[in-house]
Amino acid sequence: SYILILKAVSQLASWKERLKVFSTCVGHICVVLAFYVPLVGLSVVHRLGNIYILVPAVLNPIICGVRTKQTQRILISI
């Protein structure tokens, strides 16, 4: 349904009208995501009981890698 809405918005004549309607659509999509993303996340955690153990283990190397690159940039700039 969102694709049909975006298609209809893109066919509006005025750029200002498109922007106004699109901003309303984006607000609606954000509200829907704010409610459905946690719901889906909780469903996945409930379905896969050990995911809360796996996620930090997977994310830790990624976060450390980003921090290391930031630290290297800071040290190089000094």
Side-chain angles (χ1 to χ4, degrees):
S1 66
Y2 288 113
I3 294 171
L4 294 174
I5 293 170
L6 291 175
K7 185 178 178 181
V9 169
S10 67
Q11 294 174 353
L12 291 174
S14 171
W15 175 252
K16 286 185 178 183
E17 290 175 357
R18 279 188 245 164
L19 188 61
K20 183 177 180 181
V21 174
F22 186 68
S23 67
T24 304
C25 290
V26 169
H28 182 261
I29 290 170
C30 288
V31 169
V32 169
L33 288 176
F35 285 103
Y36 282 113
V37 168
L39 181 66
V40 170
L42 287 174
S43 298
V44 169
V45 168
H46 179 71
R47 185 88 167 158
L48 307 170
N50 291 332
I51 198 163
Y52 67 92
I53 296 172
L54 297 174
V55 170
V58 171
L59 290 179
N60 192 27
I62 296 169
I63 293 171
C64 289
V66 170
R67 285 187 178 172
T68 303
K69 289 179 183 179
Q70 290 174 347
T71 306
Q72 287 174 355
R73 288 183 195 143
I74 291 171
L75 291 174
I76 290 172
S77 67
I78 293 176

